[in-house]
Every structure is written in structure tokens, then in C-alpha cells.
Amino acid sequence: MTPTTETTVGIGGAAESTDMVLNIGPQHPSTHGVLRLRLVLDGERIVSAEPVIGYMHRGAEKLFEARDYRQIIMLANRHDWLSAFSNELGVVLGVERMLGMEVPTRAVWTRTLLAELNRVLNHLMFLGSYPLELGGITPVFYAFREREVLQNVMEEVSGGRMHYMFNRVGGLKEDLPAGWATRARAAVAAVRSRMDRFDDLVLGNEIFRGRTRDVGVLAPETVHAYGVSGPIARASGVDFDLRRDEPYLAYGELQDTLKVVTRQEGDCLARFEVLLEQTHNALDLADACLDRLAELPPGPINQRLPKVLKAPEGHTYAWTENPLGINGYYLVSKGEKTPYRLKLRSASYNNIQALVELLPGTLVADMVAILGSLFFVVGDIDK
């Protein structure tokens, strides 16, 4: 008798061991812009993750080469649209270094003040939007109310709500309006008095803590390997802040007020806590700058520049502690009125790479919690 082989086929049985490829985006609402994540899933668990970028790329670095040193400030302040003033600083600091130019003291302290107010504006957006991504809608209303208070004083001094265009090579566009310091101090005090809302509504919420504690733990070794910086790196115990470690602007004189906030846990909750505490410290730094400006005698806010500004031949690298992390500009000049090369090192570009290490092994349900805790702006990735 001829032997026979019997095969039993179970419906859907093969699917249990088959990986599924899932695309998140490029229009997913939790991605702060147009980002795509390509996930490979084994059931509910992520096997691998690949951030796919470039959907917003506008070629800013190439455009820098066709604009003079006044015009590139306008381009530079747009990649991280929540940190426009801080973005401008890197450009003007680099050009001033190439020129060997000393900026008036009044401009230095005003720049520091506006950079810290811009830091608060940036952080408030994430303090409101991160709980929103996890299902809590109330904090975003408070965040936008506080942002409006600060936006009003920033708009009064610069004329712009988001893209301030207030920095100039050699200083600032113009001096502060009469009575502005008093209104700015009142705005800082008003925001500070209501910051406990985020402690009560968010950190005091057991659902939020349950969704974020021990989720998306980022090791210090991974921080160093991928060049992660800013609040995300400090939440993993990497104690580095350019404002303290390589002071620029007036930060060298603010060391008593400046507090570098760190955590050791490296999880989503730690990243939110660092952001919140850093916001408190930025308000303190803004007050310290207002105190110092009140003591300064009247003086110039900028340097007189030639009609055609040319940086001498050479190269330099200027970096700043932007709200989202380290922002650097590598400037190469051949003595012309336009840069020969201006390479931008943005914080979000490096920070988002950590998703390759963070997401594998986690559940799909935790993906949005991890993604939102990296505090990135997609324009800052794509440039």
C-alpha cells in the first residue's frame, strides 16, 4: 500500500507568525508635521522602526548660498517654527565671529532675554500637545493661554508672532519699546503664577503617569551614539547644556540662576518632567535678564554695518542651546557677500534617529507616547 501524507491547513494559522508592515503617516496627527514611520510588527509588538523623512524638505542649506548675510536670517528662523528667535542666533553669532565683531552689551542681554522667552514659548507647546496625544485635551488650552501672554510681548518688540526677524549681524533690529520691560515682567509673572496647572493636571494624573513611566527608556549610551541633545538627553542623565558648559551671550553671568535640569530614568515621564522644570527656569532667567537690563545705562543696540556685508575668507562653527537641543551652523566663507557653505545641524534631526532604538520591542499602543516625548518639529528635521 502506498504511504500517504496528510496536511491540515488551519484558516489564518499562517498569519500568526507573519510580520506585518505598517505605515504611520505621513499625515498622522501625532507627528508634529509630515513624518512617516515604517513599522514592522509581530502582533502588537514592534519589531523594527524606520523614520522616513524628507516630505517637507525645502533645501534651506542650498538657498543659504544664494542669499546675503542679512537675507539668510529670514531662512534660518523657519526650520524650527517654534524657536524662530533661537534659530536666528546661530547665524548671526557665526557671522559676528567671522568678522571679529563685538556686540553692544545692551544687545547681548536683550538677546538672552528674548531667547529665554522663546524657550518658554517652545516648551509650552509641547507641555500642552503631549498630553493631548495621550488623550488629555485640557492642558493644551492652558498652554495656549500662557503662550498668548508671552506672544503679545514678543510681537510688540519684533512685529512678528512666530518668525521674529529681530536679530541682525551686530545686534538687534532696534531698541525695546518704551515701557516694554514692565509689560514683559508682568507677562512672565502671570505665566509663572499659573504653571502649577501642568503639575496638577498632567503630572498629578495617574493615567498620564501610567502611560509614560518606564515607557520608551533611552539609555545614555544611545544618547551619545545618535547625538541626541537638549531635554531628551538630560532626561537620560546626560548632564550637558551649552549655556553652562560653553557659555555664549550673557549666560556666563547667569550661572547662579541657570539650572541644568536632569533625570536618570530616561523614560517618557522623565522627558516631560525635564521640559516642565526647564520652563520654570527659563522664566527665572528672563527675570534675571530684565533686572540686568534695568541697570544698564542707555546705549546702542547694534553696530553700524556697511551697505554690502562680506564675511572674510575662512570658516567657523557656532552652536547654541536651542529649546529642543543643540543647534549648530558651520559657516564657510570665500570673502563674498553670500556664504560659500552654511551647514545646519538641527536638534530634531539627531533626536528623531533615536526612534530606531526606542521603538523595537515596545507595543504599538506605546508608540505615540514615545514619539510625542521626543519633542521634535518636522521642519527642523527636513530643513
Side-chain angles (χ1 to χ4, degrees):
M1 184 175 179
T2 306
T4 59
T5 303
E6 185 175 334
T7 303
T8 303
V9 178
I11 299 175
E16 295 178 4
S17 60
T18 302
D19 290 340
M20 179 174 71
V21 177
L22 178 66
N23 279 286
I24 305 292
Q27 304 296 344
H28 196 276
S30 72
T31 55
H32 302 284
V34 189
L35 177 72
R36 173 183 162 209
L37 284 179
R38 184 180 182 276
L39 306 178
V40 177
L41 306 179
D42 181 6
E44 286 291 311
R45 201 163 293 278
I46 298 172
V47 176
S48 67
E50 177 191 0
V52 182
I53 65 173
Y55 291 93
M56 292 185 66
H57 181 61
R58 60 193 174 89
E61 292 177 347
K62 202 65 187 170
L63 292 174
F64 290 153
E65 299 171 14
R67 306 290 190 278
D68 67 33
Y69 288 105
R70 292 178 176 89
Q71 294 169 325
I72 60 176
I73 299 172
M74 180 274 293
L75 289 171
N77 73 13
R78 281 163 164 72
H79 54 87
D80 175 1
W81 47 75
L82 298 177
S83 312
F85 187 87
S86 302
N87 297 341
E88 299 169 9
L89 273 177
V91 174
V92 295
L93 290 175
V95 179
E96 287 162 2
R97 186 177 298 172
M98 293 280 282
L99 292 167
M101 180 181 290
E102 186 147 346
V103 176
T105 305
R106 190 169 186 79
V108 171
W109 281 96
T110 306
R111 279 178 173 178
T112 311
L113 166 61
L114 296 176
E116 289 306 312
L117 291 178
N118 195 196
R119 191 180 308 277
V120 177
L121 284 169
N122 175 289
H123 290 356
L124 281 171
M125 176 63 80
F126 290 104
L127 291 175
S129 68
Y130 186 42
L132 180 65
E133 290 162 13
L134 298 181
I137 192 172
T138 308
V140 76
F141 297 128
Y142 288 108
F144 268 87
R145 183 182 67 176
E146 311 313 331
R147 275 176 56 86
E148 280 302 310
V149 173
L150 293 177
Q151 285 281 25
N152 288 339
V153 294
M154 293 292 281
E155 184 177 2
E156 181 186 355
V157 75
S158 66
R161 282 183 59 80
M162 290 186 69
H163 304 300
Y164 305 109
M165 268 305 291
F166 198 56
N167 277 290
R168 296 291 187 273
V169 176
L172 295 168
K173 177 187 173 186
E174 56 196 10
D175 208 344
L176 302 173
W180 182 86
T182 303
R183 293 187 288 277
R185 196 183 293 276
V188 170
V191 172
R192 181 188 286 110
S193 69
R194 296 191 289 256
M195 285 299 294
D196 60 347
R197 304 276 185 169
F198 296 98
D199 290 293
D200 299 337
L201 282 173
V202 185
L203 289 181
N205 187 299
E206 63 183 36
I207 298 175
F208 178 83
R209 299 183 76 87
R211 290 289 309 273
T212 55
R213 187 191 286 116
D214 298 327
V215 173
V217 177
L218 183 63
E221 298 78 20
T222 307
V223 168
H224 293 303
Y226 285 88
V228 176
S229 60
I232 303 170
R234 291 191 283 274
S236 296
V238 178
D239 188 6
F240 181 71
D241 191 315
L242 283 175
R243 297 173 297 170
R244 180 199 63 195
D245 301 322
E246 288 194 23
Y248 58 98
L249 295 182
Y251 290 113
E253 300 180 48
L254 291 169
Q255 297 301 305
D256 292 339
T257 307
L258 175 63
K259 180 183 178 184
V260 179
V261 183
T262 59
R263 292 288 189 277
Q264 300 301 318
E265 294 82 1
D267 56 10
C268 296
L269 180 60
R271 291 191 276 274
F272 187 86
E273 288 177 342
V274 168
L275 202 73
L276 179 57
E277 199 170 333
Q278 193 167 282
T279 308
H280 284 283
N281 186 239
L283 292 168
D284 294 339
L285 288 167
D287 267 339
C289 290
L290 285 166
D291 291 340
R292 185 72 174 91
L293 279 170
E295 299 169 359
L296 290 177
I301 199 77
N302 51 35
Q303 296 273 27
R304 290 184 65 86
L305 298 176
K307 189 173 182 180
V308 178
L309 180 64
K310 295 183 179 181
E313 189 168 348
H315 60 93
T316 190
Y317 182 72
W319 56 349
T320 57
E321 186 69 43
N322 263 36
L324 297 181
I326 293 174
N327 190 69
Y329 289 94
Y330 178 59
L331 171 63
V332 182
S333 171
K334 290 204 170 182
E336 301 297 330
K337 65 177 182 179
T338 61
Y340 176 73
R341 182 80 171 91
L342 185 56
K343 175 71 175 73
L344 169 61
R345 188 266 191 220
S346 61
S348 299
Y349 184 82
N350 286 71
N351 292 352
I352 202 68
Q353 294 180 85
L355 286 171
V356 176
E357 300 284 345
L358 273 179
L359 290 179
T362 64
L363 297 172
V364 176
D366 292 328
M367 184 269 298
V368 172
I370 296 170
L371 188 64
S373 72
L374 289 190
F375 311 129
F376 61 90
V377 171
V378 175
D380 202 39
I381 301 170
D382 287 353
K383 297 174 283 186

